[in-house]
Amino acid sequence: MAEVSVVGGGVAGLVVARRLALSGVSVAVHEATGRLGGTVARHEVAGIALDAGAESFAVRGGVVARLLAELGLGDDVVEPRPGPAWLQPASGDAVPLPATALLGIPSDPLADDVVRVVGREAAEAAVRLDALPLAPGAAEMSLGALVRARFGDTVLERLVAPVVHGVHSQHPDEVPLTRAHPSLPAELIAAGSLAGAVGALRATAPPGSAVAGIRGGLHRIIPALAADLQRHGGTIRLGSRVEDVSQLPGRVVVAAAGAASASRPGRRIDLVTLVVEQPELDAAPRGSGLLVADGAEVSARALTHATAKWDWLREAAGGRHVLRLSYDATPADPAGTARADAEALLGVELPIVVGTAHVVWTRPAPAAPTKAASDPIVVGETVAGSGLAGIVAHAERTAQLLLAS
């Protein structure tokens, strides 16, 4: 194959480039900034090395685990500590998320932990709606439209929307079914109901957590990918901004990291990290953290109690606690707002904050599909969604298609 130029050194670009290089293709990665990885990044807060962006990946399909094994990181894959995440409703006290749900979609709307969030009337309405025949084209709806049609607005907004926003940084109305879960459309048709589809997917899911991380931080995947790419002959060019992909060498160009949607604004996400000293947090009063429903009296959309979630990080923190709070809009005082929100969500005062960090990420807008054979082939979040599992799987498929062409 002729030389391949990859524009963008995020995870998708590196995965495609590495896979091609392993097969003997001449590959050059052009990264406009001075570092690789995109939103998979590292920073230090109060002397602790932490993920500045993504901190975990979905285990479904095993694609990320296989990649990590190839990179020599397989033995460092870790599961989070067992225990539920919590939900902060628009009003009232925080509650554990329902145990038999997928992306917040319950397999039994009448379960006590579902009724606690949505109320008995909404739960009974969901059962009635889901007993109706599927509408034509139900499997092609957005996730939000499907949940609204099968379970009603209350279940969608109080339960599903906070969870989906925490995973995809989007309202369910903006998330296609296949991006929410690739097997959901087929299971929906087979079961004839949304509750039945969720129950079937949960029954066939492998035991253990639905997500995993890497001991030491997910950011370790980036230098491992880069080193393996270069070991197999690939070239990495940092500070190489590409204004016109038609000027790059080679007959195939893979445009990664949102290059195809640079003219369209994305979604801004602010992540504020706090390192605190508070022995009351040793008991993990809200498990691994909380997702926040619209209307709640805090600005944060989610809080992760990272030292309660990851054993390796609890050891590294030496008795301190790491809290990560995400925002859709930049707080006027990021550290102060995050501290106040964390106190409200956790129900614990935080008098000693020993370190803070504020990072801003932009989630790119979806890219239009490639039309002409001469168009750049797009990989990454713009076409695969925001989850690392989907991004890696799409990048691996793209590399195989290039190799077969």
Side-chain angles (χ1 to χ4, degrees):
M1 183 183 289
E3 183 177 71
V4 174
S5 297
V6 178
V7 181
V11 171
L14 291 174
V15 168
V16 168
R18 172 185 175 270
R19 187 61 64 192
L20 294 175
L22 261 60
S23 297
V25 177
S26 176
V27 183
V29 175
H30 298 264
E31 169 55 43
T33 71
R35 69 165 190 87
L36 300 169
T39 56
V40 179
R42 175 189 185 278
H43 63 176
E44 284 195 13
V45 187
I48 308 170
L50 299 171
D51 286 309
E55 56 146 16
S56 63
F57 59 89
V59 301
R60 69 170 185 264
V63 63
V64 180
R66 287 192 294 273
L67 175 62
L68 292 173
E70 292 180 19
L71 295 172
L73 295 174
D75 291 341
D76 288 335
V77 174
V78 291
E79 291 189 356
R81 297 184 72 190
W86 286 57
L87 173 70
Q88 175 58 59
S91 60
D93 296 332
V95 295
L97 280 170
T100 59
L102 177 73
L103 288 172
I105 308 167
S107 61
D108 179 7
L110 293 175
D112 289 343
D113 52 6
V114 178
V115 173
R116 188 184 303 126
V117 176
V118 304
R120 173 65 60 176
E121 182 178 348
E124 292 176 347
V127 172
R128 291 194 299 271
L129 287 170
D130 205 32
L132 298 173
L134 288 177
E140 285 78 47
M141 291 180 174
S142 70
L143 180 62
L146 177 65
V147 174
R148 188 179 289 108
R150 304 303 299 180
F151 281 172
D153 285 333
T154 301
V155 173
L156 173 66
E157 298 300 341
R158 293 188 185 178
L159 188 53
V160 180
V163 177
V164 172
H165 190 280
V167 175
H168 294 282
S169 302
Q170 291 177 290
H171 189 276
D173 286 341
E174 302 174 87
V175 180
L177 283 190
T178 52
R179 183 172 294 182
H181 195 294
S183 301
L184 185 54
E187 290 293 348
L188 178 69
I189 298 299
S193 70
L194 183 54
V198 171
L201 288 171
R202 286 187 58 86
T204 58
S209 173
V211 299
I214 301 175
R215 185 179 293 105
L218 195 65
H219 57 265
R220 292 181 59 202
I221 193 175
I222 301 304
L225 277 168
D228 208 39
L229 166 61
Q230 291 174 313
R231 188 161 44 247
H232 289 87
T235 301
I236 296 173
R237 296 170 183 164
L238 297 178
S240 177
R241 182 173 297 278
V242 177
E243 303 293 348
D244 183 357
V245 295
S246 68
Q247 301 303 307
L248 291 171
R251 64 182 179 88
V252 178
V253 175
V254 179
S261 59
S263 62
R264 300 192 303 278
R267 306 182 308 280
R268 178 183 172 120
I269 298 171
D270 287 67
L271 176 66
V272 182
T273 299
L274 306 177
V275 177
V276 304
E277 293 181 2
Q278 174 51 280
E280 290 183 48
L281 291 180
D282 293 348
R286 295 294 181 263
S288 60
L290 307 95
L291 299 167
V292 181
D294 271 339
E297 295 183 355
V298 294
S299 301
R301 293 308 306 265
L303 178 151
T304 300
H305 187 172
T307 38
K309 185 174 183 178
W310 305 109
D311 285 333
W312 70 265
L313 183 53
R314 189 174 70 255
E315 296 170 4
R320 296 167 293 175
H321 290 270
V322 178
L323 310 174
R324 291 161 42 105
L325 296 94
S326 59
Y327 295 84
D328 286 341
T330 304
D333 174 12
T337 300
R339 177 177 174 175
D341 285 351
E343 289 181 332
L345 292 168
L346 296 169
V348 174
E349 292 186 357
L350 303 174
I352 304 176
V353 178
V354 297
T356 66
H358 175 209
V359 179
V360 178
W361 300 110
T362 299
R363 309 301 284 270
T370 299
K371 295 179 180 179
S374 59
D375 288 345
I377 299 172
V378 182
V379 296
E381 187 174 346
T382 60
V383 289
S386 58
L388 193 65
I391 289 171
V392 171
H394 181 268
E396 294 280 17
R397 290 195 303 271
T398 300
Q400 295 303 328
L401 288 172
L402 284 168
L403 291 168
S405 66

